[in-house]
Amino acid sequence: MTRFTIRIADTVFQLESRYPSVKEGYADYLTDASPATSFSVTDEELAAAWQAHRFTQLIDCRTGRVYGDEALRDPALAADWAKTEDMIRMRDEENLLYRKVGKALPRYDAFLLHGCAVMLDGKGYVFSGRSGVGKSTHVGLWLERFGSRAEILNGDKPIVARRNGQWMVYGSPWQGKENLGCCKAAPLRGICFLQRGEANRIAPMAAPAEALFHAVMQPEDRALQCRFLDLMTDMTQAVPMYRMAVNNFAPDAAAVSAQALTGTP
């Protein structure tokens, strides 16, 4: 087992993994500080995750050939299959650890928000919305428009946290398939929920709760749920939230969102 300690959103956790490579994904967040708590994955949890894959056939991506489950017992394929199985189990453990940490964050006045977080002139903004709506593309337009003034904090799962009475947005180790982000933080100045549209239009949200609840990782622990709801209520009252119909191919896309969120085009 490999044990290591990470600091995310100014909170320290110890993680335990069967796979040393899991630690590599947290390289920017490693610390020697004393952890608030620790997380590990049991053999039973890992076995359940493996069973959930329900491999009944294999497809050779090079040839397209389909193999039945008897192929798993073929000595000629045993070595390759063992490597594949080990990789899948490693990914399962990595994902289970991530979810354990994410669901515990409300205990420390923080939570994971599905979105793309960008820092502009030292202030943080998050673009959220359904997968494929164009969050990363829109943030990319901000980078083009503002150059070195802007930086991506996290491209997939930033952490939003209340610290000393102020709402902050943090980078996290879970940066999505494009692996965009950094280990930094900024005061959170706005959240914008994107939906596709013909023209770029943005307006404040009077009732953002429904959109927000679809975008956050909620705790399963009943004792944490009330704390989590209080956090949501406080944030919706403290942080401006917007709904934007976005067309990232139109030349005014970044200008429209920047004008509303930052007050400057």
Side-chain angles (χ1 to χ4, degrees):
M1 286 288 190
T2 298
R3 293 182 179 87
F4 56 96
T5 307
I6 60 172
R7 183 190 301 275
I8 55 174
D10 291 328
T11 307
V12 180
F13 303 105
Q14 183 182 77
L15 303 184
E16 183 177 284
S17 173
R18 298 163 177 79
Y19 302 91
S21 58
V22 170
K23 180 180 178 180
E24 296 172 9
Y26 294 90
D28 292 339
Y29 296 83
L30 296 176
T31 179
D32 294 326
S34 299
T37 189
S38 61
F39 299 98
S40 60
V41 176
T42 67
D43 292 340
E44 292 76 15
E45 289 171 328
L46 201 57
W50 174 254
Q51 288 300 317
H53 295 300
R54 296 179 182 174
F55 293 104
T56 58
Q57 63 181 27
L58 300 176
I59 301 176
D60 189 324
C61 63
R62 296 163 295 183
T63 65
R65 181 180 175 184
V66 178
Y67 298 89
D69 59 3
E70 69 279 0
L72 306 183
R73 299 185 293 275
D74 185 343
L77 298 175
D80 284 345
W81 174 245
K83 293 179 183 177
T84 300
E85 179 179 349
D86 194 57
M87 180 189 69
I88 293 170
R89 288 183 181 275
M90 184 271 290
R91 294 300 184 194
D92 283 340
E93 188 190 57
E94 192 174 43
N95 186 57
L96 287 165
L97 283 172
Y98 142 70
R99 296 189 67 83
K100 284 174 180 279
V101 175
K103 291 182 178 182
L105 284 174
R107 182 173 290 114
Y108 307 97
D109 286 351
F111 56 87
L112 276 168
L113 174 61
H114 175 58
C116 190
V118 59
M119 182 167 59
L120 175 65
D121 296 332
K123 299 173 184 177
Y125 306 90
V126 179
F127 292 94
S128 188
R130 294 183 178 181
S131 296
V133 75
K135 299 182 292 293
S136 297
T137 300
H138 195 77
V139 167
L141 295 176
W142 273 43
L143 298 182
E144 291 178 10
R145 187 175 188 85
F146 298 109
S148 61
R149 293 169 56 195
E151 183 177 12
I152 294 179
L153 281 173
N154 186 276
D156 191 47
K157 297 179 180 69
I159 297 173
V160 174
R162 186 174 58 195
R163 297 289 180 256
N164 299 316
Q166 178 177 224
W167 282 95
M168 304 285 294
V169 57
Y170 291 80
S172 82
W174 311 295
Q175 298 178 346
K177 60 184 180 182
E178 296 169 326
N179 198 32
L180 299 173
C182 60
C183 184
K184 296 182 180 180
L188 180 59
R189 291 294 183 260
I191 298 175
C192 183
F193 293 92
L194 301 179
Q195 60 187 38
R196 288 181 179 171
E198 294 296 324
N200 288 293
R201 299 188 305 274
I202 189 169
M205 296 180 70
E210 182 177 355
L212 188 60
F213 272 94
H214 281 93
V216 297
M217 180 178 283
Q218 302 180 35
E220 294 177 349
D221 189 305
R222 293 179 64 88
L224 275 183
Q225 289 175 357
C226 288
R227 187 184 189 117
F228 176 74
L229 290 174
D230 288 342
L231 278 173
M232 294 297 99
T233 300
D234 184 76
M235 191 185 72
T236 57
Q237 293 173 351
V239 178
M241 298 192 188
Y242 301 84
R243 171 81 69 186
M244 180 176 179
V246 64
N247 178 357
N248 284 321
F249 296 101
D252 66 339
V256 169
S257 60
Q259 174 67 53
L261 270 69
T262 72
T264 57

Coordinates of all heavy atoms in Angstrom, one line a residue, residues 221-265:
D221 N -23.8 11.0 3.3 CA -24.0 11.0 4.7 C -25.1 11.9 5.1 O -25.1 13.1 4.9 CB -22.7 11.5 5.4 CG -22.7 11.3 6.9 OD1 -23.6 11.8 7.5 OD2 -21.8 10.6 7.4
R222 N -26.1 11.4 5.8 CA -27.3 12.2 6.2 C -26.9 13.4 7.1 O -27.5 14.4 7.0 CB -28.4 11.3 6.8 CG -29.0 10.3 5.9 CD -30.0 9.4 6.7 NE -31.1 10.2 7.1 CZ -32.2 10.5 6.4 NH1 -32.3 10.0 5.2 NH2 -33.2 11.2 6.9
A223 N -25.9 13.1 7.9 CA -25.5 14.2 8.9 C -24.9 15.4 8.1 O -24.9 16.5 8.6 CB -24.5 13.6 9.9
L224 N -24.4 15.1 7.0 CA -23.7 16.2 6.2 C -24.7 16.9 5.3 O -24.4 18.0 4.8 CB -22.6 15.6 5.3 CG -21.2 15.4 6.0 CD1 -20.2 14.9 4.9 CD2 -20.7 16.7 6.6
Q225 N -25.9 16.3 5.0 CA -26.8 16.9 4.1 C -27.3 18.3 4.5 O -27.4 19.2 3.7 CB -27.9 15.9 3.8 CG -27.5 14.7 3.0 CD -28.5 13.7 2.8 OE1 -29.6 13.8 3.3 NE2 -28.2 12.6 2.0
C226 N -27.6 18.4 5.8 CA -28.1 19.7 6.3 C -27.0 20.8 6.1 O -27.2 21.9 5.7 CB -28.6 19.6 7.7 SG -30.1 18.7 7.9
R227 N -25.8 20.4 6.5 CA -24.6 21.3 6.3 C -24.4 21.7 4.9 O -24.2 22.9 4.5 CB -23.4 20.7 6.9 CG -22.2 21.6 6.9 CD -20.9 20.9 7.4 NE -19.8 21.8 7.7 CZ -19.3 22.0 8.8 NH1 -19.7 21.4 9.9 NH2 -18.3 22.9 9.0
F228 N -24.6 20.7 4.0 CA -24.5 21.0 2.6 C -25.5 21.9 2.1 O -25.2 22.9 1.3 CB -24.6 19.6 1.8 CG -24.5 19.8 0.3 CD1 -23.3 20.1 -0.3 CD2 -25.7 19.6 -0.4 CE1 -23.3 20.2 -1.7 CE2 -25.6 19.7 -1.8 CZ -24.5 20.0 -2.4
L229 N -26.8 21.8 2.5 CA -27.8 22.7 2.1 C -27.6 24.1 2.6 O -27.9 25.1 1.9 CB -29.2 22.1 2.6 CG -29.7 20.9 2.0 CD1 -30.9 20.3 2.7 CD2 -30.0 21.1 0.5
D230 N -27.1 24.2 3.8 CA -26.8 25.5 4.3 C -25.7 26.2 3.5 O -25.7 27.4 3.2 CB -26.3 25.4 5.8 CG -27.4 25.1 6.7 OD1 -28.6 25.3 6.4 OD2 -27.1 24.7 7.9
L231 N -24.7 25.4 3.1 CA -23.6 25.9 2.2 C -24.2 26.4 0.9 O -23.9 27.5 0.4 CB -22.6 24.8 1.9 CG -21.5 24.6 2.9 CD1 -20.7 23.3 2.5 CD2 -20.6 25.8 3.1
M232 N -25.1 25.6 0.3 CA -25.7 26.0 -1.0 C -26.5 27.3 -0.8 O -26.4 28.2 -1.7 CB -26.7 24.9 -1.5 CG -26.0 23.6 -1.9 SD -24.9 23.8 -3.3 CE -23.3 23.9 -2.4
T233 N -27.2 27.4 0.2 CA -28.0 28.6 0.5 C -27.1 29.9 0.6 O -27.4 30.9 0.0 CB -28.9 28.5 1.7 OG1 -29.8 27.4 1.5 CG2 -29.7 29.7 2.0
D234 N -26.1 29.7 1.4 CA -25.2 30.8 1.6 C -24.5 31.3 0.3 O -24.4 32.5 0.1 CB -24.1 30.4 2.7 CG -23.2 31.6 3.0 OD1 -23.6 32.5 3.8 OD2 -22.0 31.6 2.5
M235 N -24.1 30.3 -0.5 CA -23.4 30.6 -1.7 C -24.3 31.3 -2.7 O -23.9 32.3 -3.4 CB -22.8 29.4 -2.4 CG -21.8 29.8 -3.5 SD -21.2 28.4 -4.4 CE -22.6 27.9 -5.3
T236 N -25.6 30.9 -2.8 CA -26.5 31.5 -3.8 C -26.8 32.9 -3.4 O -27.1 33.7 -4.2 CB -27.8 30.7 -3.9 OG1 -28.4 30.5 -2.6 CG2 -27.5 29.3 -4.5
Q237 N -26.7 33.2 -2.1 CA -26.9 34.6 -1.6 C -25.7 35.5 -1.8 O -25.8 36.7 -1.9 CB -27.4 34.6 -0.2 CG -28.7 33.9 0.0 CD -29.1 33.7 1.5 OE1 -28.3 34.0 2.4 NE2 -30.4 33.4 1.7
A238 N -24.5 34.9 -1.8 CA -23.3 35.6 -1.8 C -22.6 35.8 -3.1 O -21.9 36.7 -3.4 CB -22.3 35.0 -0.8
V239 N -22.8 34.8 -4.0 CA -22.1 34.8 -5.3 C -23.1 35.0 -6.5 O -24.1 34.3 -6.6 CB -21.4 33.4 -5.5 CG1 -20.7 33.4 -6.9 CG2 -20.4 33.2 -4.4
P240 N -22.9 36.0 -7.3 CA -23.7 36.2 -8.5 C -23.8 35.0 -9.4 O -22.7 34.4 -9.7 CB -23.1 37.4 -9.2 CG -22.3 38.1 -8.1 CD -21.8 37.0 -7.2
M241 N -25.0 34.6 -9.9 CA -25.1 33.5 -10.8 C -25.9 33.9 -12.0 O -26.9 34.7 -11.9 CB -25.8 32.3 -10.1 CG -25.0 31.8 -8.9 SD -25.6 30.3 -8.2 CE -24.5 30.2 -6.7
Y242 N -25.5 33.4 -13.1 CA -26.0 33.8 -14.4 C -26.4 32.6 -15.3 O -25.9 31.5 -15.1 CB -25.0 34.6 -15.2 CG -24.6 35.9 -14.5 CD1 -23.6 35.9 -13.6 CD2 -25.2 37.1 -14.8 CE1 -23.2 37.0 -12.9 CE2 -24.8 38.3 -14.1 CZ -23.8 38.2 -13.2 OH -23.4 39.4 -12.5
R243 N -27.4 32.8 -16.2 CA -27.7 31.8 -17.2 C -27.3 32.5 -18.5 O -27.7 33.6 -18.8 CB -29.2 31.5 -17.2 CG -29.6 30.6 -18.4 CD -29.3 29.2 -18.2 NE -30.1 28.6 -17.1 CZ -29.9 27.3 -16.7 NH1 -29.0 26.6 -17.2 NH2 -30.7 26.9 -15.7
M244 N -26.6 31.7 -19.4 CA -26.2 32.3 -20.6 C -26.5 31.3 -21.8 O -26.1 30.1 -21.8 CB -24.7 32.6 -20.7 CG -24.2 33.1 -22.0 SD -22.4 33.6 -21.9 CE -22.2 34.2 -23.6
A245 N -27.2 31.8 -22.8 CA -27.4 31.2 -24.0 C -26.1 31.5 -24.8 O -25.8 32.6 -25.1 CB -28.6 31.6 -24.8
V246 N -25.4 30.4 -25.2 CA -24.0 30.7 -25.8 C -23.9 30.1 -27.2 O -24.4 29.0 -27.5 CB -22.9 30.1 -24.8 CG1 -23.1 28.6 -24.7 CG2 -21.6 30.5 -25.3
N247 N -23.3 30.9 -28.0 CA -22.9 30.5 -29.3 C -21.4 30.8 -29.4 O -21.0 31.9 -29.7 CB -23.6 31.2 -30.4 CG -23.2 30.8 -31.8 OD1 -22.2 30.0 -32.0 ND2 -23.9 31.3 -32.8
N248 N -20.5 29.8 -29.2 CA -19.1 30.0 -29.1 C -18.5 30.4 -30.5 O -17.3 30.8 -30.5 CB -18.4 28.8 -28.5 CG -18.6 28.7 -27.0 OD1 -18.5 29.8 -26.3 ND2 -18.7 27.5 -26.5
F249 N -19.3 30.2 -31.5 CA -18.7 30.5 -32.9 C -19.0 32.0 -33.2 O -18.4 32.5 -34.2 CB -19.4 29.6 -33.9 CG -19.1 28.2 -33.7 CD1 -20.0 27.3 -33.2 CD2 -17.8 27.7 -34.1 CE1 -19.7 26.0 -33.0 CE2 -17.5 26.4 -34.0 CZ -18.4 25.5 -33.4
A250 N -19.8 32.7 -32.4 CA -20.1 34.1 -32.7 C -18.9 34.9 -32.1 O -18.4 34.6 -31.0 CB -21.4 34.5 -32.1
P251 N -18.5 36.0 -32.7 CA -17.4 36.8 -32.3 C -17.6 37.5 -30.9 O -16.6 37.9 -30.3 CB -17.2 37.8 -33.4 CG -18.5 37.9 -34.1 CD -19.1 36.5 -34.0
D252 N -18.8 37.6 -30.5 CA -19.0 38.4 -29.2 C -19.2 37.5 -28.0 O -19.5 37.9 -26.9 CB -20.3 39.3 -29.4 CG -21.6 38.4 -29.5 OD1 -21.5 37.3 -29.9 OD2 -22.6 39.0 -29.2
A253 N -18.9 36.2 -28.1 CA -19.2 35.2 -27.1 C -18.5 35.6 -25.8 O -19.1 35.7 -24.7 CB -18.8 33.8 -27.5
A254 N -17.2 35.8 -25.8 CA -16.4 36.1 -24.6 C -16.7 37.5 -24.1 O -16.8 37.7 -22.9 CB -14.9 36.0 -24.9
A255 N -17.0 38.4 -25.0 CA -17.3 39.8 -24.6 C -18.6 39.8 -23.8 O -18.7 40.6 -22.8 CB -17.4 40.7 -25.8
V256 N -19.6 39.1 -24.2 CA -20.9 39.1 -23.5 C -20.8 38.5 -22.1 O -21.3 39.1 -21.2 CB -21.9 38.3 -24.3 CG1 -23.2 38.0 -23.5 CG2 -22.3 39.0 -25.7
S257 N -20.1 37.4 -21.9 CA -20.0 36.8 -20.6 C -19.1 37.7 -19.7 O -19.4 37.9 -18.5 CB -19.5 35.4 -20.7 OG -18.2 35.3 -21.3
A258 N -18.0 38.2 -20.3 CA -17.1 39.0 -19.5 C -17.7 40.3 -19.0 O -17.5 40.7 -17.9 CB -15.8 39.3 -20.3
Q259 N -18.5 40.9 -19.9 CA -19.2 42.1 -19.5 C -20.1 41.9 -18.3 O -20.1 42.7 -17.3 CB -20.0 42.7 -20.6 CG -20.9 43.9 -20.3 CD -20.0 45.1 -20.0 OE1 -19.2 45.5 -20.8 NE2 -20.3 45.7 -18.8
A260 N -20.8 40.8 -18.3 CA -21.8 40.5 -17.2 C -21.0 40.1 -15.9 O -21.3 40.6 -14.8 CB -22.8 39.4 -17.6
L261 N -20.0 39.2 -16.0 CA -19.4 38.6 -14.9 C -18.4 39.6 -14.2 O -18.2 39.6 -13.0 CB -18.7 37.3 -15.2 CG -19.6 36.1 -15.1 CD1 -20.7 36.0 -16.1 CD2 -18.7 34.8 -15.2
T262 N -17.6 40.3 -15.1 CA -16.6 41.1 -14.5 C -16.8 42.6 -14.6 O -16.1 43.4 -13.9 CB -15.2 40.9 -15.3 OG1 -15.4 41.5 -16.6 CG2 -15.0 39.4 -15.5
G263 N -17.8 43.0 -15.4 CA -18.1 44.5 -15.5 C -17.3 45.1 -16.6 O -17.5 46.3 -16.8
T264 N -16.4 44.4 -17.2 CA -15.6 45.0 -18.3 C -15.6 44.0 -19.5 O -15.5 42.8 -19.3 CB -14.1 45.2 -17.9 OG1 -13.6 43.9 -17.4 CG2 -14.1 46.2 -16.8
P265 N -15.8 44.5 -20.7 CA -15.8 43.6 -21.9 C -14.5 43.0 -22.2 O -13.5 43.5 -21.8 CB -16.4 44.5 -23.0 CG -15.9 45.9 -22.6 CD -16.0 45.9 -21.1

